PDB file of all heavy atoms in Angstrom:
ATOM      1  N   ILE A 536      -5.102 -15.655   0.136  1.00 57.00           N
ATOM      2  CA  ILE A 536      -4.996 -15.396   1.505  1.00 57.00           C
ATOM      3  C   ILE A 536      -4.142 -14.187   1.703  1.00 57.00           C
ATOM      4  O   ILE A 536      -4.432 -13.289   2.569  1.00 57.00           O
ATOM      5  CB  ILE A 536      -4.424 -16.608   2.190  1.00 57.00           C
ATOM      6  CG1 ILE A 536      -5.427 -17.756   2.178  1.00 57.00           C
ATOM      7  CG2 ILE A 536      -4.076 -16.312   3.666  1.00 57.00           C
ATOM      8  CD1 ILE A 536      -4.883 -19.117   2.804  1.00 57.00           C
ATOM      9  N   SER A 537      -3.127 -14.039   0.986  1.00 55.00           N
ATOM     10  CA  SER A 537      -2.133 -12.871   1.072  1.00 55.00           C
ATOM     11  C   SER A 537      -2.979 -11.552   0.838  1.00 55.00           C
ATOM     12  O   SER A 537      -2.739 -10.508   1.460  1.00 55.00           O
ATOM     13  CB  SER A 537      -1.053 -12.951   0.151  1.00 55.00           C
ATOM     14  OG  SER A 537      -0.181 -14.105   0.544  1.00 55.00           O
ATOM     15  N   THR A 538      -3.868 -11.610  -0.113  1.00 62.00           N
ATOM     16  CA  THR A 538      -4.554 -10.399  -0.466  1.00 62.00           C
ATOM     17  C   THR A 538      -5.741 -10.096   0.556  1.00 62.00           C
ATOM     18  O   THR A 538      -5.973  -8.941   0.995  1.00 62.00           O
ATOM     19  CB  THR A 538      -5.241 -10.610  -1.924  1.00 62.00           C
ATOM     20  OG1 THR A 538      -4.235 -10.775  -2.855  1.00 62.00           O
ATOM     21  CG2 THR A 538      -6.043  -9.370  -2.247  1.00 62.00           C
ATOM     22  N   ALA A 539      -6.436 -11.175   0.968  1.00 75.00           N
ATOM     23  CA  ALA A 539      -7.541 -10.924   1.840  1.00 75.00           C
ATOM     24  C   ALA A 539      -7.174 -10.648   3.287  1.00 75.00           C
ATOM     25  O   ALA A 539      -7.719  -9.784   4.012  1.00 75.00           O
ATOM     26  CB  ALA A 539      -8.487 -12.135   1.791  1.00 75.00           C
ATOM     27  N   THR A 540      -6.169 -11.386   3.793  1.00 85.00           N
ATOM     28  CA  THR A 540      -5.741 -11.277   5.127  1.00 85.00           C
ATOM     29  C   THR A 540      -4.211 -11.486   5.220  1.00 85.00           C
ATOM     30  O   THR A 540      -3.798 -12.623   5.449  1.00 85.00           O
ATOM     31  CB  THR A 540      -6.420 -12.275   6.026  1.00 85.00           C
ATOM     32  OG1 THR A 540      -6.392 -13.601   5.453  1.00 85.00           O
ATOM     33  CG2 THR A 540      -7.831 -11.984   6.240  1.00 85.00           C
ATOM     34  N   PRO A 541      -3.472 -10.468   4.977  1.00 92.00           N
ATOM     35  CA  PRO A 541      -1.981 -10.639   4.871  1.00 92.00           C
ATOM     36  C   PRO A 541      -1.320 -11.176   6.092  1.00 92.00           C
ATOM     37  O   PRO A 541      -0.393 -11.987   5.951  1.00 92.00           O
ATOM     38  CB  PRO A 541      -1.507  -9.160   4.660  1.00 92.00           C
ATOM     39  CG  PRO A 541      -2.651  -8.457   4.020  1.00 92.00           C
ATOM     40  CD  PRO A 541      -3.838  -9.076   4.627  1.00 92.00           C
ATOM     41  N   ALA A 542      -1.859 -10.910   7.335  1.00 92.00           N
ATOM     42  CA  ALA A 542      -1.229 -11.445   8.502  1.00 92.00           C
ATOM     43  C   ALA A 542      -1.338 -12.921   8.558  1.00 92.00           C
ATOM     44  O   ALA A 542      -0.430 -13.564   9.128  1.00 92.00           O
ATOM     45  CB  ALA A 542      -1.887 -10.779   9.672  1.00 92.00           C
ATOM     46  N   LEU A 543      -2.342 -13.488   8.008  1.00 89.00           N
ATOM     47  CA  LEU A 543      -2.437 -14.957   7.927  1.00 89.00           C
ATOM     48  C   LEU A 543      -1.382 -15.578   7.077  1.00 89.00           C
ATOM     49  O   LEU A 543      -0.736 -16.502   7.476  1.00 89.00           O
ATOM     50  CB  LEU A 543      -3.906 -15.387   7.493  1.00 89.00           C
ATOM     51  CG  LEU A 543      -5.019 -14.882   8.316  1.00 89.00           C
ATOM     52  CD1 LEU A 543      -6.310 -15.520   7.826  1.00 89.00           C
ATOM     53  CD2 LEU A 543      -4.900 -15.262   9.769  1.00 89.00           C
ATOM     54  N   ALA A 544      -1.189 -14.986   5.932  1.00 88.00           N
ATOM     55  CA  ALA A 544      -0.136 -15.553   5.029  1.00 88.00           C
ATOM     56  C   ALA A 544       1.251 -15.321   5.648  1.00 88.00           C
ATOM     57  O   ALA A 544       2.091 -16.235   5.526  1.00 88.00           O
ATOM     58  CB  ALA A 544      -0.182 -14.759   3.663  1.00 88.00           C
ATOM     59  N   ASP A 545       1.502 -14.235   6.392  1.00 93.00           N
ATOM     60  CA  ASP A 545       2.778 -13.998   7.030  1.00 93.00           C
ATOM     61  C   ASP A 545       3.011 -15.077   8.146  1.00 93.00           C
ATOM     62  O   ASP A 545       4.161 -15.314   8.500  1.00 93.00           O
ATOM     63  CB  ASP A 545       2.744 -12.591   7.698  1.00 93.00           C
ATOM     64  CG  ASP A 545       2.935 -11.477   6.690  1.00 93.00           C
ATOM     65  OD1 ASP A 545       3.322 -11.831   5.552  1.00 93.00           O
ATOM     66  OD2 ASP A 545       2.737 -10.376   7.110  1.00 93.00           O
ATOM     67  N   GLN A 546       1.942 -15.622   8.684  1.00 93.00           N
ATOM     68  CA  GLN A 546       2.187 -16.619   9.752  1.00 93.00           C
ATOM     69  C   GLN A 546       2.175 -18.079   9.351  1.00 93.00           C
ATOM     70  O   GLN A 546       2.198 -18.956  10.225  1.00 93.00           O
ATOM     71  CB  GLN A 546       0.984 -16.450  10.807  1.00 93.00           C
ATOM     72  CG  GLN A 546       1.128 -15.111  11.570  1.00 93.00           C
ATOM     73  CD  GLN A 546       0.030 -14.867  12.561  1.00 93.00           C
ATOM     74  OE1 GLN A 546       0.113 -15.309  13.770  1.00 93.00           O
ATOM     75  NE2 GLN A 546      -1.042 -14.112  12.109  1.00 93.00           N
ATOM     76  N   ILE A 547       2.128 -18.317   8.041  1.00 90.00           N
ATOM     77  CA  ILE A 547       2.355 -19.743   7.694  1.00 90.00           C
ATOM     78  C   ILE A 547       3.758 -20.099   7.648  1.00 90.00           C
ATOM     79  O   ILE A 547       4.660 -19.300   7.197  1.00 90.00           O
ATOM     80  CB  ILE A 547       1.743 -19.862   6.156  1.00 90.00           C
ATOM     81  CG1 ILE A 547       0.244 -19.621   6.131  1.00 90.00           C
ATOM     82  CG2 ILE A 547       2.106 -21.245   5.541  1.00 90.00           C
ATOM     83  CD1 ILE A 547      -0.345 -19.621   4.794  1.00 90.00           C
ATOM     84  N   THR A 548       4.044 -21.227   8.192  1.00 92.00           N
ATOM     85  CA  THR A 548       5.449 -21.670   8.265  1.00 92.00           C
ATOM     86  C   THR A 548       6.215 -21.472   6.977  1.00 92.00           C
ATOM     87  O   THR A 548       5.634 -21.972   5.939  1.00 92.00           O
ATOM     88  CB  THR A 548       5.553 -23.077   8.782  1.00 92.00           C
ATOM     89  OG1 THR A 548       4.898 -23.133  10.153  1.00 92.00           O
ATOM     90  CG2 THR A 548       6.996 -23.569   8.865  1.00 92.00           C
ATOM     91  N   GLY A 549       7.357 -20.845   6.973  1.00 92.00           N
ATOM     92  CA  GLY A 549       8.136 -20.755   5.766  1.00 92.00           C
ATOM     93  C   GLY A 549       7.834 -19.422   4.962  1.00 92.00           C
ATOM     94  O   GLY A 549       8.400 -19.241   3.907  1.00 92.00           O
ATOM     95  N   SER A 550       6.958 -18.611   5.417  1.00 93.00           N
ATOM     96  CA  SER A 550       6.616 -17.414   4.762  1.00 93.00           C
ATOM     97  C   SER A 550       7.840 -16.454   4.672  1.00 93.00           C
ATOM     98  O   SER A 550       8.812 -16.550   5.392  1.00 93.00           O
ATOM     99  CB  SER A 550       5.516 -16.642   5.451  1.00 93.00           C
ATOM    100  OG  SER A 550       5.926 -16.096   6.649  1.00 93.00           O
ATOM    101  N   ALA A 551       7.800 -15.584   3.660  1.00 95.00           N
ATOM    102  CA  ALA A 551       8.965 -14.661   3.534  1.00 95.00           C
ATOM    103  C   ALA A 551       9.115 -13.793   4.714  1.00 95.00           C
ATOM    104  O   ALA A 551      10.251 -13.463   5.111  1.00 95.00           O
ATOM    105  CB  ALA A 551       8.674 -13.764   2.285  1.00 95.00           C
ATOM    106  N   PHE A 552       7.973 -13.434   5.362  1.00 97.00           N
ATOM    107  CA  PHE A 552       8.084 -12.534   6.612  1.00 97.00           C
ATOM    108  C   PHE A 552       8.853 -13.309   7.654  1.00 97.00           C
ATOM    109  O   PHE A 552       9.758 -12.770   8.323  1.00 97.00           O
ATOM    110  CB  PHE A 552       6.698 -12.139   7.031  1.00 97.00           C
ATOM    111  CG  PHE A 552       6.693 -11.456   8.357  1.00 97.00           C
ATOM    112  CD1 PHE A 552       6.971 -10.086   8.455  1.00 97.00           C
ATOM    113  CD2 PHE A 552       6.451 -12.226   9.570  1.00 97.00           C
ATOM    114  CE1 PHE A 552       7.039  -9.495   9.698  1.00 97.00           C
ATOM    115  CE2 PHE A 552       6.516 -11.514  10.760  1.00 97.00           C
ATOM    116  CZ  PHE A 552       6.812 -10.208  10.903  1.00 97.00           C
ATOM    117  N   LEU A 553       8.387 -14.565   7.938  1.00 97.00           N
ATOM    118  CA  LEU A 553       9.099 -15.293   9.069  1.00 97.00           C
ATOM    119  C   LEU A 553      10.501 -15.675   8.673  1.00 97.00           C
ATOM    120  O   LEU A 553      11.336 -15.713   9.561  1.00 97.00           O
ATOM    121  CB  LEU A 553       8.288 -16.596   9.325  1.00 97.00           C
ATOM    122  CG  LEU A 553       6.891 -16.395   9.984  1.00 97.00           C
ATOM    123  CD1 LEU A 553       6.056 -17.596  10.039  1.00 97.00           C
ATOM    124  CD2 LEU A 553       7.121 -15.770  11.378  1.00 97.00           C
ATOM    125  N   THR A 554      10.827 -15.885   7.423  1.00 98.00           N
ATOM    126  CA  THR A 554      12.159 -16.159   7.084  1.00 98.00           C
ATOM    127  C   THR A 554      13.060 -14.993   7.355  1.00 98.00           C
ATOM    128  O   THR A 554      14.166 -15.117   7.953  1.00 98.00           O
ATOM    129  CB  THR A 554      12.298 -16.413   5.540  1.00 98.00           C
ATOM    130  OG1 THR A 554      11.593 -17.662   5.303  1.00 98.00           O
ATOM    131  CG2 THR A 554      13.654 -16.717   5.169  1.00 98.00           C
ATOM    132  N   LYS A 555      12.614 -13.761   7.056  1.00 98.00           N
ATOM    133  CA  LYS A 555      13.357 -12.554   7.419  1.00 98.00           C
ATOM    134  C   LYS A 555      13.404 -12.330   8.895  1.00 98.00           C
ATOM    135  O   LYS A 555      14.502 -12.047   9.456  1.00 98.00           O
ATOM    136  CB  LYS A 555      12.693 -11.305   6.760  1.00 98.00           C
ATOM    137  CG  LYS A 555      13.304 -10.003   7.122  1.00 98.00           C
ATOM    138  CD  LYS A 555      12.588  -8.785   6.455  1.00 98.00           C
ATOM    139  CE  LYS A 555      13.211  -7.516   6.865  1.00 98.00           C
ATOM    140  NZ  LYS A 555      12.562  -6.342   6.244  1.00 98.00           N
ATOM    141  N   LEU A 556      12.319 -12.574   9.613  1.00 98.00           N
ATOM    142  CA  LEU A 556      12.324 -12.304  11.031  1.00 98.00           C
ATOM    143  C   LEU A 556      13.270 -13.254  11.844  1.00 98.00           C
ATOM    144  O   LEU A 556      13.959 -12.781  12.757  1.00 98.00           O
ATOM    145  CB  LEU A 556      10.876 -12.561  11.613  1.00 98.00           C
ATOM    146  CG  LEU A 556      10.720 -12.440  13.099  1.00 98.00           C
ATOM    147  CD1 LEU A 556      10.994 -11.034  13.621  1.00 98.00           C
ATOM    148  CD2 LEU A 556       9.341 -12.921  13.567  1.00 98.00           C
ATOM    149  N   ASN A 557      13.394 -14.472  11.399  1.00 98.00           N
ATOM    150  CA  ASN A 557      14.190 -15.539  12.172  1.00 98.00           C
ATOM    151  C   ASN A 557      15.536 -15.603  11.607  1.00 98.00           C
ATOM    152  O   ASN A 557      16.351 -16.341  12.254  1.00 98.00           O
ATOM    153  CB  ASN A 557      13.443 -16.772  12.134  1.00 98.00           C
ATOM    154  CG  ASN A 557      12.168 -16.745  12.957  1.00 98.00           C
ATOM    155  OD1 ASN A 557      12.079 -16.183  14.051  1.00 98.00           O
ATOM    156  ND2 ASN A 557      11.095 -17.349  12.421  1.00 98.00           N
ATOM    157  N   ALA A 558      15.834 -14.938  10.544  1.00 97.00           N
ATOM    158  CA  ALA A 558      17.230 -15.074  10.027  1.00 97.00           C
ATOM    159  C   ALA A 558      18.230 -14.364  10.988  1.00 97.00           C
ATOM    160  O   ALA A 558      17.965 -13.272  11.497  1.00 97.00           O
ATOM    161  CB  ALA A 558      17.356 -14.434   8.607  1.00 97.00           C
ATOM    162  N   GLY A 559      19.293 -14.976  11.221  1.00 96.00           N
ATOM    163  CA  GLY A 559      20.399 -14.379  12.069  1.00 96.00           C
ATOM    164  C   GLY A 559      20.183 -14.422  13.557  1.00 96.00           C
ATOM    165  O   GLY A 559      20.823 -13.738  14.323  1.00 96.00           O
ATOM    166  N   GLY A 560      19.115 -15.233  13.980  1.00 96.00           N
ATOM    167  CA  GLY A 560      18.968 -15.359  15.415  1.00 96.00           C
ATOM    168  C   GLY A 560      17.613 -14.895  15.844  1.00 96.00           C
ATOM    169  O   GLY A 560      17.039 -13.943  15.224  1.00 96.00           O
ATOM    170  N   ASP A 561      17.065 -15.441  16.912  1.00 98.00           N
ATOM    171  CA  ASP A 561      15.724 -15.124  17.441  1.00 98.00           C
ATOM    172  C   ASP A 561      15.679 -13.909  18.246  1.00 98.00           C
ATOM    173  O   ASP A 561      14.655 -13.313  18.399  1.00 98.00           O
ATOM    174  CB  ASP A 561      15.223 -16.308  18.215  1.00 98.00           C
ATOM    175  CG  ASP A 561      15.065 -17.563  17.493  1.00 98.00           C
ATOM    176  OD1 ASP A 561      15.051 -17.537  16.159  1.00 98.00           O
ATOM    177  OD2 ASP A 561      14.849 -18.612  18.065  1.00 98.00           O
TER     178      ASP A 561
END
């Protein structure tokens, strides 16, 4: 999924992208 459609992988709960985005406050 990360290779075919990276944005989908980024939107799975707990992804590295979301972890970075939400760290330190919304």
